[in-house]
């Protein structure tokens, strides 16, 4: 009798614990009832693991190393008079952050190795501008949200300055599409500084209204619309040929040495003009950004 009574008590206790456990588990937010978690998982649905991403050397070697514009209908806010500049570079109107702002960077994925490279080279801009970059683990409070090959996206791109907040609230704002554990240091430096130039408001230098590049348009279309880029004609126009209208940007003298400039193959110009891979900030980049974000 005593044995049966103990068994009944033990069974009831187990059932009560089980019910309590189920109740506790039901209080934990799930993907279906937590919008933030749901949004992040949806954004990264087809993203491979860091191990797969960072050891896919053959595919990365075949990937075109060209930044693709993420243009929006930014409000045409004219820069304050104190921000007027006499140096070279292009800044999209309406994309400037507040002077002195601390930009919080959230990493959606990536190894500690690549994350450290990104934040290290991003801070090259902070050496010359009144801006600061810090890493945050809180996506909701972040300003810049960085991913590596998110959903197998092999392009490298960034939204321009405050467009990240205006059009991409809570979503990915920057992607690196060809980084791995063997990526050359010069390529890491070139691409990271370039994309963070976009992130603080700078646009592509070769699209400056005063650019002096004389493109051979038929050859440009053939090159970029063919492999490995396989762009549409509109993509070629938007990323290579169509210069910004003067009313859309604050620009000064054209700078072919800018970190924000595409490489230019002389075979794609009518006069043989060429621009190499710019892998560091030019003197004009430094002077320009210092004027835009003064101490």
């Amino acid at each position: 009798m005593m044995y049966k009574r103990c068994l009944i008590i033990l069974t009831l206790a187990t059932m009560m614990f089980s019910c309590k456990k189920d109740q506790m588990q039901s209080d934990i937010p799930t993907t279906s009832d937590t919008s933030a978690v749901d949004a992040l998982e949806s954004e990264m649905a087809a993203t491979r693991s860091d191990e797969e991403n960072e050891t896919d050397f053959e595919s990365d070697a075949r990937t075109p190393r060209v930044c693709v514009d993420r243009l929006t209908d930014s409000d045409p806010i004219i820069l304050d008079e104190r921000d007027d500049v006499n140096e070279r570079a292009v800044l999209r109107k309406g994309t400037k952050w507040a002077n002195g702002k601390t930009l919080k960077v959230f990493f959606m994925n990536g190894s500690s190795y690549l994350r450290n490279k990104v934040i290290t080279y991003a801070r090259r801009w902070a050496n010359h501008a009144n801006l600061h970059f810090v890493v945050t683990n809180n996506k909701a409070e972040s300003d810049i949200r960085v991913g590596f090959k998110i959903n197998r996206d092999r392009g490298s791109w960034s939204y321009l300055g405050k467009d990240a907040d205006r059009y991409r609230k809570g979503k990915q704002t920057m992607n690196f599409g060809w980084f791995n554990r063997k990526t050359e240091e010069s390529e890491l430096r070139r691409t990271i500084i370039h994309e963070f130039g976009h992130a603080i408001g700078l646009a592509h230098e070769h699209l400056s209204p005063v650019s002096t590049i004389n493109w051979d348009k038929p050859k440009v279309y053939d090159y970029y619309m063919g492999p490995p880029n396989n762009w549409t004609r509109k993509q070629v126009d938007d990323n290579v040929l169509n210069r910004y209208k003067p009313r859309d940007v604050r620009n000064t003298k054209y700078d072919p040495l800018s970190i924000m400039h595409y490489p230019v193959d002389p075979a794609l110009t009518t006069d043989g003009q060429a621009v190499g891979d710019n892998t560091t900030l030019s003197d004009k980049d430094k002077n320009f950004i210092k004027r835009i974000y003064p101490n």
Side-chain angles (χ1 to χ4, degrees), residues 210-249:
V210 291
S211 168
T212 61
I213 301 173
N214 296 310
W215 295 107
D216 189 327
K217 291 186 178 181
K219 291 182 179 179
V220 171
Y221 285 124
D222 285 344
Y223 176 78
Y224 283 103
M225 291 175 70
N229 295 282
N230 299 310
W231 285 357
T232 65
R233 189 179 184 88
K234 185 178 186 304
Q235 285 179 307
V236 179
D237 288 337
D238 290 344
N239 288 280
V240 183
L241 297 176
N242 289 348
R243 296 173 184 172
Y244 300 125
K245 294 179 175 60
R247 69 172 181 268
D248 291 335
V249 295

Side-chain angles (χ1 to χ4, degrees), residues 32-63:
S32 60
D33 59 20
T34 306
S35 58
V37 175
D38 185 59
L40 181 59
E41 289 190 357
S42 176
E43 262 192 295
M44 300 181 64
T47 303
R48 299 184 302 175
S49 69
D50 292 340
E51 176 68 22
E52 292 174 302
N53 267 346
E54 297 177 28
T55 57
D56 193 359
F57 307 122
E58 292 185 7
S59 296
D60 289 341
R62 296 193 299 268
T63 300

Side-chain angles (χ1 to χ4, degrees), residues 104-231:
K104 297 178 180 179
V105 181
F106 175 82
F107 288 99
M108 300 172 67
N109 65 336
S111 66
S112 58
Y113 169 76
L114 285 183
R115 294 184 185 203
N116 288 334
K117 290 294 182 182
V118 168
I119 201 65
T120 295
Y121 284 123
R123 287 171 175 158
R124 291 288 178 92
W125 287 107
N127 292 336
H128 308 283
N130 189 14
L131 291 172
H132 313 279
F133 296 100
V134 297
V135 175
T136 179
N137 292 322
N138 186 340
K139 188 184 182 191
E141 72 173 15
S142 62
D143 302 295
I144 300 169
R145 289 162 290 283
V146 178
F148 300 91
K149 304 174 186 173
I150 296 296
N151 292 332
R152 303 175 186 247
D153 184 349
R154 290 192 172 276
S156 288
W157 49 264
S158 173
Y159 279 79
L160 303 184
K162 289 184 69 176
D163 280 355
D165 183 62
R166 186 179 296 121
Y167 297 97
R168 298 290 295 177
K169 193 72 173 179
K171 298 181 180 179
Q172 181 187 13
T173 66
M174 184 182 297
N175 192 71
F176 293 105
W178 54 77
F179 286 175
N180 59 56
R181 296 172 188 172
K182 295 183 179 180
T183 302
E184 306 91 332
E185 195 70 22
S186 61
E187 179 61 20
L188 291 169
R189 181 175 65 245
R190 179 188 77 88
T191 306
I192 294 167
I193 297 176
H194 180 100
E195 297 306 339
F196 271 84
H198 288 318
I200 61 176
L202 294 176
H204 281 132
E205 183 65 19
H206 60 278
L207 298 180
S208 166
V210 291
S211 168
T212 61
I213 301 173
N214 296 310
W215 295 107
D216 189 327
K217 291 186 178 181
K219 291 182 179 179
V220 171
Y221 285 124
D222 285 344
Y223 176 78
Y224 283 103
M225 291 175 70
N229 295 282
N230 299 310
W231 285 357

Side-chain angles (χ1 to χ4, degrees), residues 236-269:
V236 179
D237 288 337
D238 290 344
N239 288 280
V240 183
L241 297 176
N242 289 348
R243 296 173 184 172
Y244 300 125
K245 294 179 175 60
R247 69 172 181 268
D248 291 335
V249 295
R250 171 71 67 185
N251 69 280
T252 51
K253 292 182 179 180
Y254 167 63
D255 179 16
L257 299 179
S258 173
I259 191 70
M260 304 309 297
H261 205 300
Y262 266 22
V264 177
D265 187 330
L268 301 181
T269 61

Side-chain angles (χ1 to χ4, degrees), residues 5 8 44 84 182 246 267 269 281:
R5 184 175 297 175
I8 292 171
M44 300 181 64
D84 198 10
K182 295 183 179 180
T269 61
L281 292 170

